[in-house]
Amino acid sequence: MEFQHLLIAGIAALAAGFVNAVAGGGTLITFPVLIALGVSPVSANVTNTIALCPGFFGGTFAQRHDIASLKERFLVLMPFGIAGGIAGGLLLLHTTESSFRVLIPYLILFASILLAVQSQLKKIITRKNRSAVPSFIHKAGTFLLIFLASVYGGYFGAGLGVMLIAVLGLVYNDNINKLNALKQALSLCINLTAAVYFAFSGKAQWSFVIVMAAGALAGGTIGGKLARKMNPGIFRWLIVCTGIIVSLFYFFK
């Protein structure tokens, strides 16, 4: 493996960690970069999931106080996140490289759209009267939606946070800060589960993993310190536009 490839992957992970801390959507940077460096699609997704996992620890630690106040709710939802993460990882590893290559543009486009509507979605959630939601959604419906979102997270992952915010905002009558904290804890759970499963799959490119993990951790640390001083909308739309361009490239490739 050439040093230049590791350097490019490390820089991409640094940018992804920074963007994840400020606005989200870092996977839309690192995944296409790994593909461009010659890593096969499934292997690139596996490598990317493991490498970016440290960034979720940082985000969870930063919101640990809010998460502690939601401990009981998190413990109820966690098994469904774990089950979904494993199911999504299992589904990915049983997808052929050629089939996953066909899905790439659709997955990237879907993640880009999720990121594009993130701000509007949060506004809707804060205004929504969830008391009108039928009680069955707060029970079996909640578990099913969390499981399905977690399957997506284990399979691809980009835009998972936005998807979880949508589900949690539908079923819980909490302010956006608590929803974000619960989303962060569940995202860590789902990604860590998939990452542990992928670590034993034989698909991970460990040289990339090590370099990218360090880059993502550094980028997340920098982004966390600067997040309040920057406009996340600029980064969000930059990533959205990049994701759409990349998806179109794969559509017509």
Side-chain angles (χ1 to χ4, degrees):
M1 187 176 296
E2 296 183 5
F3 172 76
Q4 293 92 328
H5 287 185
L6 292 175
L7 180 61
I8 292 171
I11 293 173
L14 179 72
F18 180 88
V19 167
N20 275 337
V22 176
T27 295
L28 296 176
I29 298 175
T30 48
F31 178 71
V33 166
L34 287 173
I35 296 290
L37 292 176
V39 182
S40 64
V42 172
S43 183
N45 198 25
V46 166
T47 300
N48 190 65
T49 298
I50 300 173
L52 296 187
C53 208
F56 288 97
F57 281 100
T60 301
F61 181 77
Q63 300 183 67
R64 62 191 181 280
H65 298 300
D66 286 330
I67 293 171
S69 67
L70 300 168
K71 181 179 178 180
E72 291 184 6
R73 185 176 295 172
F74 170 66
L75 290 177
V76 170
L77 297 177
M78 182 176 66
F80 298 93
I82 292 175
I86 293 174
L90 186 65
L91 183 62
L92 174 67
L93 294 180
H94 283 79
T95 302
T96 63
E97 295 286 354
S98 58
S99 297
F100 193 69
R101 192 178 295 276
V102 172
L103 290 174
I104 286 174
Y106 298 97
L107 290 170
I108 293 177
L109 183 60
F110 177 65
S112 300
I113 293 172
L114 282 177
L115 196 61
V117 302
Q118 183 179 39
S119 296
Q120 290 77 11
L121 187 61
K122 287 183 178 180
K123 291 178 182 178
I124 293 172
I125 288 171
T126 56
R127 294 197 304 263
K128 186 175 178 60
N129 179 16
R130 284 166 295 278
S131 61
V133 178
S135 60
F136 73 90
I137 292 182
H138 290 271
K139 296 178 182 179
T142 300
F143 302 146
L144 176 61
L145 291 172
I146 291 295
F147 174 77
L148 293 176
S150 302
V151 171
Y152 170 79
Y155 189 78
F156 188 58
L160 171 63
V162 183
M163 191 179 295
L164 287 175
I165 279 286
V167 173
L168 295 172
L170 175 66
V171 298
Y172 292 123
N173 190 20
D174 285 326
N175 62 50
I176 196 66
N177 291 330
K178 286 193 174 184
L179 292 177
N180 267 322
L182 187 56
K183 175 265 295 183
Q184 190 65 43
L186 285 171
S187 295
L188 171 62
C189 178
I190 295 164
N191 280 272
L192 182 59
T193 299
V196 171
Y197 181 68
F198 289 155
F200 299 96
S201 68
K203 294 282 188 178
Q205 299 287 327
W206 287 104
S207 296
F208 280 127
V209 168
I210 294 171
V211 172
M212 290 174 66
L217 187 58
T221 301
I222 296 170
K225 292 180 178 179
L226 299 178
R228 293 186 178 182
K229 301 178 182 179
M230 308 184 75
N231 182 358
I234 296 175
F235 289 94
R236 183 178 299 113
W237 283 107
L238 180 61
I239 298 303
V240 168
C241 292
T242 301
I244 292 174
I245 292 171
V246 170
S247 67
L248 291 174
F249 171 79
Y250 282 113
F251 271 122
F252 295 106
K253 184 177 179 180

